[in-house]
């Protein structure tokens, strides 16, 4: 390989490692977002299931290691250090194998995740308390208000809440209220009484609730599908860059005939 080809390979490897560093930062940022989010469905899952929290820390760890590998790859490429390039290749291979294993594991556990999700939401609805300051309840109120939906399968899921169904007046979950477009965007919490029904009526019948009829299950799954598409897109992009980086690093490493450790930056 001529010196010109070595230079081209070196700078292409530097470019790929720069992209690799950026994508690693995105993965790390996604993990931080999962832990920091307090107002969407992610918080509902995170609070009720340890799996998502563990997954968030995995994302943070993989993102941090990916950024470190991108940094080492840049140094090894620019300064033509075979030791760093070889180490870079091995770590890239390990990260790629880990990503594939995690993807396969997630794929074969999708049904378990869906069942766990059904149980989580059912428990939230059954244990919902009016006037209670609870982050989990607030997150579910946010999901219903923003998704314009009520309950999980449909609004009848709220009939499983004992406190709500023991009300003698027509009372419904405030965040489920079927509001017009010009209503306030503020998310209402707790239970609300309906005043536009026949006052002689006794009991709390779900058919009289002024709420959205559609459940949140389909909308939440669509939301997760959209976000998973973005995540998978980033992971595929990282995998492609990893493969190209491995190929370029091994080519460059093979054609560096002598070590010059004086090129390595000293701090």
């Amino acid at each position: 390989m001529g010196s010109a080809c070595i230079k081209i390979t070196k700078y292409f490897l530097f470019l790929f490692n720069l992209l690799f560093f950026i994508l690693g930062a995105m993965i790390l940022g996604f993990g931080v977002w999962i832990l920091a989010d307090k107002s969407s469905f992610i918080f509902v899952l995170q609070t009720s299931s340890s799996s998502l929290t563990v997954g968030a820390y995995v994302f943070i760890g993989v993102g941090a290691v990916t950024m470190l590998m991108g940094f080492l790859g840049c140094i090894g490429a620019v300064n033509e250090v075979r030791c760093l390039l070889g180490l870079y290749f091995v770590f890239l291979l390990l990260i790629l194998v880990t990503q594939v294993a995690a993807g396969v594991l997630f794929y074969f556990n999708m049904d378990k995740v869906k069942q766990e999700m059904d149980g989580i939401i059912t428990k939230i609805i059954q244990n919902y308390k009016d006037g209670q300051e609870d982050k989990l309840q607030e997150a579910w109120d946010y999901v219903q208000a923003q998704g314009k939906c009520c309950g999980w399968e449909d609004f009848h899921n709220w009939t499983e809440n004992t406190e709500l169904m023991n009300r003698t007046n027509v009372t419904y979950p405030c965040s489920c209220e079927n509001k017009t477009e010009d209503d306030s965007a503020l998310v209402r919490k707790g239970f609300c009484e309906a005043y536009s029904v026949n006052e002689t009526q006794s009991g709390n019948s779900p058919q009289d609730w002024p709420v959205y009829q559609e459940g949140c299950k389909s909308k939440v799954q669509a939301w997760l599908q959209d976000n998973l598409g973005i995540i998978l897109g980033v992971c595929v992009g990282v995998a492609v860059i990893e493969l190209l980086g491995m190929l370029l690093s091994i080519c460059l490493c093979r054609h560096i005939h002598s070590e010059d450790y004086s090129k390595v930056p000293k701090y």
Side-chain angles (χ1 to χ4, degrees):
M1 184 184 289
S3 59
C5 291
I6 292 178
K7 280 188 176 182
I8 292 172
T9 303
K10 179 171 69 173
Y11 289 113
F12 262 111
L13 183 58
F14 177 83
L15 177 61
F16 280 120
N17 278 291
L18 183 60
L19 292 174
F20 196 49
F21 183 87
I22 294 171
L23 287 173
M26 292 175 65
I27 294 174
L28 188 147
F30 179 73
V32 172
W33 170 66
I34 291 176
L35 294 177
D37 191 301
K38 302 298 180 185
S39 61
S40 73
F41 188 72
I42 288 292
F43 179 68
V44 176
L45 291 179
Q46 180 191 338
T47 306
S48 305
S49 173
S50 61
S51 301
L52 191 65
T53 303
V54 172
Y57 284 114
V58 169
F59 274 118
I60 291 173
V62 170
V65 172
T66 301
M67 291 175 68
L68 177 61
M69 289 303 99
F71 178 71
L72 290 178
C74 287
I75 295 177
V78 171
N79 295 288
E80 300 180 12
V81 181
R82 294 185 68 186
C83 178
L84 284 180
L85 289 173
L87 186 65
Y88 170 75
F89 176 85
V90 171
F91 272 102
L92 272 188
L93 182 61
L94 290 175
I95 291 174
L96 186 60
V97 170
T98 302
Q99 286 175 340
V100 172
V104 171
L105 187 64
F106 179 78
Y107 177 80
F108 284 106
N109 282 277
M110 277 297 292
D111 291 337
K112 182 181 177 181
V113 171
K114 289 179 180 178
Q115 291 176 1
E116 188 178 37
M117 191 185 302
D118 290 344
I120 290 168
I121 305 305
T122 299
K123 189 175 179 181
I124 292 172
I125 292 174
Q126 290 174 344
N127 298 331
Y128 192 99
K129 302 293 183 183
D130 187 25
Q132 178 174 298
E133 292 294 330
D134 183 86
K135 290 292 184 182
L136 195 57
Q137 289 188 181
E138 291 175 8
W140 183 241
D141 284 330
Y142 178 86
V143 170
Q144 292 189 134
Q146 295 299 313
K148 296 183 177 180
C149 52
C150 191
W152 187 233
E153 298 289 346
D154 59 34
F155 72 103
H156 285 102
N157 289 131
W158 279 99
T159 60
E160 299 177 24
N161 185 286
T162 305
E163 180 183 344
L164 177 63
M165 297 312 297
N166 283 339
R167 298 292 181 92
T168 55
N169 297 324
V170 176
T171 308
Y172 58 92
C174 300
S175 57
C176 285
E177 185 176 352
N178 191 344
K179 298 185 288 185
T180 58
E181 293 295 331
D182 57 348
D183 279 339
S184 172
L186 183 66
V187 177
R188 300 176 67 189
K189 306 171 187 177
F191 298 143
C192 295
E193 288 190 7
Y195 298 102
S196 58
V197 297
N198 188 352
E199 294 184 359
T200 61
Q201 181 179 350
S202 62
N204 189 14
S205 173
Q207 304 305 322
D208 297 319
W209 295 352
V211 298
Y212 299 109
Q213 306 291 301
E214 183 182 359
C216 297
K217 184 174 183 177
S218 59
K219 295 192 174 184
V220 166
Q221 288 179 344
W223 180 85
L224 289 174
Q225 193 70 31
D226 291 342
N227 284 273
L228 283 176
I230 296 172
I231 297 166
L232 289 175
V234 172
C235 290
V236 169
V238 170
V240 170
I241 292 176
E242 285 171 350
L243 289 172
L244 291 172
M246 289 167 63
L247 179 63
L248 290 172
S249 66
I250 203 67
C251 288
L252 185 60
C253 190
R254 286 180 58 194
H255 290 87
I256 296 175
H257 300 293
S258 62
E259 297 281 9
D260 184 2
Y261 290 103
S262 64
K263 293 181 179 181
V264 181
K266 296 179 175 60
Y267 301 98

